PDB file of all heavy atoms in Angstrom:
ATOM      1  N   LEU O   1      41.579  14.470 -12.290  1.00  0.00           N
ATOM      2  CA  LEU O   1      41.886  13.301 -11.460  1.00  0.00           C
ATOM      3  C   LEU O   1      41.073  13.265 -10.175  1.00  0.00           C
ATOM      4  O   LEU O   1      40.759  12.183  -9.669  1.00  0.00           O
ATOM      5  CB  LEU O   1      43.377  13.290 -11.113  1.00  0.00           C
ATOM      6  CG  LEU O   1      44.269  12.420 -11.990  1.00  0.00           C
ATOM      7  CD1 LEU O   1      45.717  12.547 -11.553  1.00  0.00           C
ATOM      8  CD2 LEU O   1      43.818  10.972 -11.949  1.00  0.00           C
ATOM      9  N   ASP O   2      40.724  14.412  -9.638  1.00  0.00           N
ATOM     10  CA  ASP O   2      39.902  14.433  -8.427  1.00  0.00           C
ATOM     11  C   ASP O   2      38.534  13.805  -8.690  1.00  0.00           C
ATOM     12  O   ASP O   2      38.014  13.057  -7.863  1.00  0.00           O
ATOM     13  CB  ASP O   2      39.721  15.874  -7.925  1.00  0.00           C
ATOM     14  CG  ASP O   2      40.988  16.445  -7.319  1.00  0.00           C
ATOM     15  OD1 ASP O   2      41.641  15.741  -6.537  1.00  0.00           O
ATOM     16  OD2 ASP O   2      41.322  17.605  -7.638  1.00  0.00           O
ATOM     17  N   PHE O   3      37.976  14.093  -9.846  1.00  0.00           N
ATOM     18  CA  PHE O   3      36.677  13.510 -10.202  1.00  0.00           C
ATOM     19  C   PHE O   3      36.808  12.012 -10.466  1.00  0.00           C
ATOM     20  O   PHE O   3      35.943  11.221 -10.065  1.00  0.00           O
ATOM     21  CB  PHE O   3      36.095  14.233 -11.424  1.00  0.00           C
ATOM     22  CG  PHE O   3      35.719  15.665 -11.155  1.00  0.00           C
ATOM     23  CD1 PHE O   3      36.610  16.688 -11.407  1.00  0.00           C
ATOM     24  CD2 PHE O   3      34.473  15.975 -10.626  1.00  0.00           C
ATOM     25  CE1 PHE O   3      36.277  18.004 -11.147  1.00  0.00           C
ATOM     26  CE2 PHE O   3      34.120  17.288 -10.368  1.00  0.00           C
ATOM     27  CZ  PHE O   3      35.027  18.315 -10.628  1.00  0.00           C
ATOM     28  N   SER O   4      37.893  11.605 -11.131  1.00  0.00           N
ATOM     29  CA  SER O   4      38.106  10.175 -11.383  1.00  0.00           C
ATOM     30  C   SER O   4      38.289   9.409 -10.077  1.00  0.00           C
ATOM     31  O   SER O   4      37.744   8.311  -9.909  1.00  0.00           O
ATOM     32  CB  SER O   4      39.336   9.981 -12.280  1.00  0.00           C
ATOM     33  OG  SER O   4      39.108  10.501 -13.570  1.00  0.00           O
ATOM     34  N   ALA O   5      39.041   9.979  -9.152  1.00  0.00           N
ATOM     35  CA  ALA O   5      39.238   9.317  -7.857  1.00  0.00           C
ATOM     36  C   ALA O   5      37.920   9.188  -7.108  1.00  0.00           C
ATOM     37  O   ALA O   5      37.617   8.145  -6.518  1.00  0.00           O
ATOM     38  CB  ALA O   5      40.259  10.089  -7.024  1.00  0.00           C
ATOM     39  N   TYR O   6      37.102  10.247  -7.122  1.00  0.00           N
ATOM     40  CA  TYR O   6      35.787  10.217  -6.473  1.00  0.00           C
ATOM     41  C   TYR O   6      34.945   9.087  -7.059  1.00  0.00           C
ATOM     42  O   TYR O   6      34.354   8.280  -6.326  1.00  0.00           O
ATOM     43  CB  TYR O   6      35.106  11.574  -6.670  1.00  0.00           C
ATOM     44  CG  TYR O   6      33.762  11.718  -5.985  1.00  0.00           C
ATOM     45  CD1 TYR O   6      33.643  12.412  -4.788  1.00  0.00           C
ATOM     46  CD2 TYR O   6      32.604  11.173  -6.552  1.00  0.00           C
ATOM     47  CE1 TYR O   6      32.408  12.567  -4.160  1.00  0.00           C
ATOM     48  CE2 TYR O   6      31.372  11.307  -5.935  1.00  0.00           C
ATOM     49  CZ  TYR O   6      31.276  12.003  -4.742  1.00  0.00           C
ATOM     50  OH  TYR O   6      30.054  12.140  -4.131  1.00  0.00           O
ATOM     51  N   ASP O   7      34.889   9.023  -8.395  1.00  0.00           N
ATOM     52  CA  ASP O   7      34.074   7.997  -9.044  1.00  0.00           C
ATOM     53  C   ASP O   7      34.621   6.595  -8.770  1.00  0.00           C
ATOM     54  O   ASP O   7      33.847   5.637  -8.616  1.00  0.00           O
ATOM     55  CB  ASP O   7      34.024   8.247 -10.553  1.00  0.00           C
ATOM     56  CG  ASP O   7      33.195   9.475 -10.910  1.00  0.00           C
ATOM     57  OD1 ASP O   7      32.360   9.888 -10.084  1.00  0.00           O
ATOM     58  OD2 ASP O   7      33.391  10.029 -12.010  1.00  0.00           O
ATOM     59  N   ALA O   8      35.940   6.467  -8.718  1.00  0.00           N
ATOM     60  CA  ALA O   8      36.544   5.163  -8.449  1.00  0.00           C
ATOM     61  C   ALA O   8      36.223   4.685  -7.033  1.00  0.00           C
ATOM     62  O   ALA O   8      35.895   3.510  -6.822  1.00  0.00           O
ATOM     63  CB  ALA O   8      38.061   5.237  -8.650  1.00  0.00           C
ATOM     64  N   ILE O   9      36.301   5.580  -6.078  1.00  0.00           N
ATOM     65  CA  ILE O   9      35.988   5.219  -4.692  1.00  0.00           C
ATOM     66  C   ILE O   9      34.525   4.806  -4.573  1.00  0.00           C
ATOM     67  O   ILE O   9      34.191   3.796  -3.939  1.00  0.00           O
ATOM     68  CB  ILE O   9      36.325   6.398  -3.745  1.00  0.00           C
ATOM     69  CG1 ILE O   9      37.841   6.626  -3.702  1.00  0.00           C
ATOM     70  CG2 ILE O   9      35.787   6.129  -2.341  1.00  0.00           C
ATOM     71  CD1 ILE O   9      38.251   7.933  -3.053  1.00  0.00           C
ATOM     72  N   LYS O  10      33.629   5.564  -5.196  1.00  0.00           N
ATOM     73  CA  LYS O  10      32.209   5.230  -5.166  1.00  0.00           C
ATOM     74  C   LYS O  10      31.938   3.874  -5.812  1.00  0.00           C
ATOM     75  O   LYS O  10      31.029   3.143  -5.410  1.00  0.00           O
ATOM     76  CB  LYS O  10      31.394   6.312  -5.868  1.00  0.00           C
ATOM     77  CG  LYS O  10      31.317   7.637  -5.122  1.00  0.00           C
ATOM     78  CD  LYS O  10      30.455   7.510  -3.870  1.00  0.00           C
ATOM     79  CE  LYS O  10      30.223   8.874  -3.224  1.00  0.00           C
ATOM     80  NZ  LYS O  10      29.432   8.753  -1.971  1.00  0.00           N
ATOM     81  N   ALA O  11      32.737   3.534  -6.839  1.00  0.00           N
ATOM     82  CA  ALA O  11      32.546   2.268  -7.549  1.00  0.00           C
ATOM     83  C   ALA O  11      33.128   1.082  -6.792  1.00  0.00           C
ATOM     84  O   ALA O  11      32.881  -0.067  -7.166  1.00  0.00           O
ATOM     85  CB  ALA O  11      33.172   2.351  -8.937  1.00  0.00           C
ATOM     86  N   GLY O  12      33.914   1.351  -5.735  1.00  0.00           N
ATOM     87  CA  GLY O  12      34.423   0.269  -4.906  1.00  0.00           C
ATOM     88  C   GLY O  12      35.887  -0.068  -5.073  1.00  0.00           C
ATOM     89  O   GLY O  12      36.367  -1.087  -4.545  1.00  0.00           O
ATOM     90  N   PHE O  13      36.644   0.765  -5.784  1.00  0.00           N
ATOM     91  CA  PHE O  13      38.087   0.530  -5.868  1.00  0.00           C
ATOM     92  C   PHE O  13      38.704   0.730  -4.487  1.00  0.00           C
ATOM     93  O   PHE O  13      38.253   1.572  -3.706  1.00  0.00           O
ATOM     94  CB  PHE O  13      38.731   1.479  -6.879  1.00  0.00           C
ATOM     95  CG  PHE O  13      38.504   1.078  -8.311  1.00  0.00           C
ATOM     96  CD1 PHE O  13      37.362   1.489  -8.994  1.00  0.00           C
ATOM     97  CD2 PHE O  13      39.418   0.273  -8.976  1.00  0.00           C
ATOM     98  CE1 PHE O  13      37.136   1.118 -10.303  1.00  0.00           C
ATOM     99  CE2 PHE O  13      39.210  -0.105 -10.291  1.00  0.00           C
ATOM    100  CZ  PHE O  13      38.065   0.305 -10.957  1.00  0.00           C
ATOM    101  N   THR O  14      39.735  -0.059  -4.198  1.00  0.00           N
ATOM    102  CA  THR O  14      40.335  -0.033  -2.862  1.00  0.00           C
ATOM    103  C   THR O  14      41.740   0.574  -2.836  1.00  0.00           C
ATOM    104  O   THR O  14      42.298   0.797  -1.765  1.00  0.00           O
ATOM    105  CB  THR O  14      40.395  -1.456  -2.286  1.00  0.00           C
ATOM    106  OG1 THR O  14      41.031  -2.333  -3.226  1.00  0.00           O
ATOM    107  CG2 THR O  14      38.990  -1.980  -2.003  1.00  0.00           C
ATOM    108  N   LYS O  15      42.305   0.841  -4.021  1.00  0.00           N
ATOM    109  CA  LYS O  15      43.650   1.427  -4.087  1.00  0.00           C
ATOM    110  C   LYS O  15      43.799   2.151  -5.420  1.00  0.00           C
ATOM    111  O   LYS O  15      43.221   1.742  -6.423  1.00  0.00           O
ATOM    112  CB  LYS O  15      44.728   0.339  -3.956  1.00  0.00           C
ATOM    113  CG  LYS O  15      46.169   0.863  -3.992  1.00  0.00           C
ATOM    114  CD  LYS O  15      47.177  -0.235  -3.630  1.00  0.00           C
ATOM    115  CE  LYS O  15      47.374  -1.243  -4.739  1.00  0.00           C
ATOM    116  NZ  LYS O  15      48.435  -2.231  -4.426  1.00  0.00           N
ATOM    117  N   ILE O  16      44.571   3.238  -5.412  1.00  0.00           N
ATOM    118  CA  ILE O  16      44.936   3.934  -6.641  1.00  0.00           C
ATOM    119  C   ILE O  16      46.446   3.966  -6.751  1.00  0.00           C
ATOM    120  O   ILE O  16      47.143   4.314  -5.791  1.00  0.00           O
ATOM    121  CB  ILE O  16      44.371   5.371  -6.680  1.00  0.00           C
ATOM    122  CG1 ILE O  16      42.836   5.354  -6.652  1.00  0.00           C
ATOM    123  CG2 ILE O  16      44.861   6.112  -7.922  1.00  0.00           C
ATOM    124  CD1 ILE O  16      42.201   6.734  -6.638  1.00  0.00           C
ATOM    125  N   VAL O  17      46.966   3.595  -7.912  1.00  0.00           N
ATOM    126  CA  VAL O  17      48.399   3.674  -8.196  1.00  0.00           C
ATOM    127  C   VAL O  17      48.589   4.714  -9.297  1.00  0.00           C
ATOM    128  O   VAL O  17      48.048   4.575 -10.394  1.00  0.00           O
ATOM    129  CB  VAL O  17      48.973   2.314  -8.639  1.00  0.00           C
ATOM    130  CG1 VAL O  17      50.443   2.470  -9.029  1.00  0.00           C
ATOM    131  CG2 VAL O  17      48.832   1.292  -7.525  1.00  0.00           C
ATOM    132  N   PHE O  18      49.349   5.752  -8.989  1.00  0.00           N
ATOM    133  CA  PHE O  18      49.656   6.782  -9.974  1.00  0.00           C
ATOM    134  C   PHE O  18      50.991   6.468 -10.623  1.00  0.00           C
ATOM    135  O   PHE O  18      52.003   6.292  -9.930  1.00  0.00           O
ATOM    136  CB  PHE O  18      49.728   8.159  -9.308  1.00  0.00           C
ATOM    137  CG  PHE O  18      48.415   8.656  -8.779  1.00  0.00           C
ATOM    138  CD1 PHE O  18      48.219   8.838  -7.419  1.00  0.00           C
ATOM    139  CD2 PHE O  18      47.366   8.942  -9.646  1.00  0.00           C
ATOM    140  CE1 PHE O  18      47.010   9.310  -6.934  1.00  0.00           C
ATOM    141  CE2 PHE O  18      46.149   9.413  -9.159  1.00  0.00           C
ATOM    142  CZ  PHE O  18      45.968   9.595  -7.811  1.00  0.00           C
ATOM    143  N   VAL O  19      51.004   6.407 -11.946  1.00  0.00           N
ATOM    144  CA  VAL O  19      52.255   6.230 -12.693  1.00  0.00           C
ATOM    145  C   VAL O  19      52.722   7.611 -13.118  1.00  0.00           C
ATOM    146  O   VAL O  19      52.061   8.286 -13.920  1.00  0.00           O
ATOM    147  CB  VAL O  19      52.057   5.333 -13.928  1.00  0.00           C
ATOM    148  CG1 VAL O  19      53.388   5.151 -14.665  1.00  0.00           C
ATOM    149  CG2 VAL O  19      51.495   3.974 -13.527  1.00  0.00           C
ATOM    150  N   ILE O  20      53.851   8.051 -12.563  1.00  0.00           N
ATOM    151  CA  ILE O  20      54.354   9.400 -12.832  1.00  0.00           C
ATOM    152  C   ILE O  20      55.856   9.338 -13.119  1.00  0.00           C
ATOM    153  O   ILE O  20      56.461   8.268 -13.097  1.00  0.00           O
ATOM    154  CB  ILE O  20      54.081  10.346 -11.644  1.00  0.00           C
ATOM    155  CG1 ILE O  20      54.801   9.854 -10.376  1.00  0.00           C
ATOM    156  CG2 ILE O  20      52.581  10.487 -11.386  1.00  0.00           C
ATOM    157  CD1 ILE O  20      54.693  10.826  -9.201  1.00  0.00           C
ATOM    158  N   LYS O  21      56.433  10.506 -13.391  1.00  0.00           N
ATOM    159  CA  LYS O  21      57.882  10.641 -13.514  1.00  0.00           C
ATOM    160  C   LYS O  21      58.425  11.202 -12.205  1.00  0.00           C
ATOM    161  O   LYS O  21      57.751  11.984 -11.526  1.00  0.00           O
ATOM    162  CB  LYS O  21      58.240  11.602 -14.648  1.00  0.00           C
ATOM    163  CG  LYS O  21      57.818  11.144 -16.033  1.00  0.00           C
ATOM    164  CD  LYS O  21      58.172  12.236 -17.046  1.00  0.00           C
ATOM    165  CE  LYS O  21      57.708  11.881 -18.433  1.00  0.00           C
ATOM    166  NZ  LYS O  21      57.970  12.978 -19.397  1.00  0.00           N
ATOM    167  N   HIS O  22      59.662  10.857 -11.889  1.00  0.00           N
ATOM    168  CA  HIS O  22      60.253  11.357 -10.650  1.00  0.00           C
ATOM    169  C   HIS O  22      60.276  12.884 -10.616  1.00  0.00           C
ATOM    170  O   HIS O  22      60.097  13.497  -9.555  1.00  0.00           O
ATOM    171  CB  HIS O  22      61.669  10.807 -10.475  1.00  0.00           C
ATOM    172  CG  HIS O  22      61.708   9.423  -9.917  1.00  0.00           C
ATOM    173  ND1 HIS O  22      61.314   9.125  -8.629  1.00  0.00           N
ATOM    174  CD2 HIS O  22      62.081   8.247 -10.482  1.00  0.00           C
ATOM    175  CE1 HIS O  22      61.447   7.827  -8.410  1.00  0.00           C
ATOM    176  NE2 HIS O  22      61.911   7.268  -9.517  1.00  0.00           N
ATOM    177  N   GLU O  23      60.493  13.520 -11.783  1.00  0.00           N
ATOM    178  CA  GLU O  23      60.664  14.971 -11.765  1.00  0.00           C
ATOM    179  C   GLU O  23      59.380  15.729 -11.449  1.00  0.00           C
ATOM    180  O   GLU O  23      59.437  16.911 -11.106  1.00  0.00           O
ATOM    181  CB  GLU O  23      61.266  15.480 -13.091  1.00  0.00           C
ATOM    182  CG  GLU O  23      60.493  15.118 -14.333  1.00  0.00           C
ATOM    183  CD  GLU O  23      61.099  13.928 -15.062  1.00  0.00           C
ATOM    184  OE1 GLU O  23      61.530  12.963 -14.384  1.00  0.00           O
ATOM    185  OE2 GLU O  23      61.128  13.953 -16.309  1.00  0.00           O
ATOM    186  N   ILE O  24      58.221  15.089 -11.556  1.00  0.00           N
ATOM    187  CA  ILE O  24      56.974  15.787 -11.197  1.00  0.00           C
ATOM    188  C   ILE O  24      56.431  15.304  -9.855  1.00  0.00           C
ATOM    189  O   ILE O  24      55.360  15.736  -9.431  1.00  0.00           O
ATOM    190  CB  ILE O  24      55.899  15.633 -12.289  1.00  0.00           C
ATOM    191  CG1 ILE O  24      55.376  14.187 -12.357  1.00  0.00           C
ATOM    192  CG2 ILE O  24      56.403  16.113 -13.636  1.00  0.00           C
ATOM    193  CD1 ILE O  24      54.119  14.025 -13.208  1.00  0.00           C
ATOM    194  N   GLU O  25      57.166  14.445  -9.161  1.00  0.00           N
ATOM    195  CA  GLU O  25      56.639  13.793  -7.960  1.00  0.00           C
ATOM    196  C   GLU O  25      56.169  14.800  -6.905  1.00  0.00           C
ATOM    197  O   GLU O  25      55.058  14.695  -6.388  1.00  0.00           O
ATOM    198  CB  GLU O  25      57.687  12.856  -7.366  1.00  0.00           C
ATOM    199  CG  GLU O  25      57.205  12.121  -6.123  1.00  0.00           C
ATOM    200  CD  GLU O  25      58.245  11.154  -5.571  1.00  0.00           C
ATOM    201  OE1 GLU O  25      59.360  11.089  -6.126  1.00  0.00           O
ATOM    202  OE2 GLU O  25      57.943  10.479  -4.579  1.00  0.00           O
ATOM    203  N   ALA O  26      57.019  15.772  -6.576  1.00  0.00           N
ATOM    204  CA  ALA O  26      56.674  16.710  -5.499  1.00  0.00           C
ATOM    205  C   ALA O  26      55.426  17.520  -5.844  1.00  0.00           C
ATOM    206  O   ALA O  26      54.497  17.638  -5.033  1.00  0.00           O
ATOM    207  CB  ALA O  26      57.853  17.638  -5.214  1.00  0.00           C
ATOM    208  N   ASP O  27      55.384  18.067  -7.058  1.00  0.00           N
ATOM    209  CA  ASP O  27      54.226  18.861  -7.471  1.00  0.00           C
ATOM    210  C   ASP O  27      52.976  17.995  -7.549  1.00  0.00           C
ATOM    211  O   ASP O  27      51.889  18.413  -7.123  1.00  0.00           O
ATOM    212  CB  ASP O  27      54.486  19.501  -8.842  1.00  0.00           C
ATOM    213  CG  ASP O  27      55.441  20.679  -8.765  1.00  0.00           C
ATOM    214  OD1 ASP O  27      55.639  21.204  -7.650  1.00  0.00           O
ATOM    215  OD2 ASP O  27      55.988  21.069  -9.807  1.00  0.00           O
ATOM    216  N   PHE O  28      53.114  16.795  -8.089  1.00  0.00           N
ATOM    217  CA  PHE O  28      51.962  15.917  -8.247  1.00  0.00           C
ATOM    218  C   PHE O  28      51.344  15.569  -6.892  1.00  0.00           C
ATOM    219  O   PHE O  28      50.134  15.624  -6.711  1.00  0.00           O
ATOM    220  CB  PHE O  28      52.363  14.648  -8.990  1.00  0.00           C
ATOM    221  CG  PHE O  28      51.202  13.776  -9.371  1.00  0.00           C
ATOM    222  CD1 PHE O  28      50.589  13.928 -10.602  1.00  0.00           C
ATOM    223  CD2 PHE O  28      50.710  12.825  -8.495  1.00  0.00           C
ATOM    224  CE1 PHE O  28      49.502  13.139 -10.954  1.00  0.00           C
ATOM    225  CE2 PHE O  28      49.631  12.035  -8.827  1.00  0.00           C
ATOM    226  CZ  PHE O  28      49.016  12.190 -10.063  1.00  0.00           C
TER     227      PHE O  28
END
């Protein structure tokens, strides 16, 4: 995900929304 976020920022994306479960929220 770190590489995907880097590539997304370079491509001009302005926001990232992560779809997760509540039980992994803190670790994620």
Side-chain angles (χ1 to χ4, degrees):
L1 263 178
D2 288 315
F3 293 93
S4 293
Y6 183 101
D7 289 339
I9 293 167
K10 290 290 188 182
F13 283 87
T14 52
K15 181 171 74 175
I16 298 178
V17 176
F18 293 115
V19 181
I20 62 174
K21 296 177 183 176
H22 279 293
E23 57 260 40
I24 70 168
E25 181 178 3
D27 285 343
F28 188 92

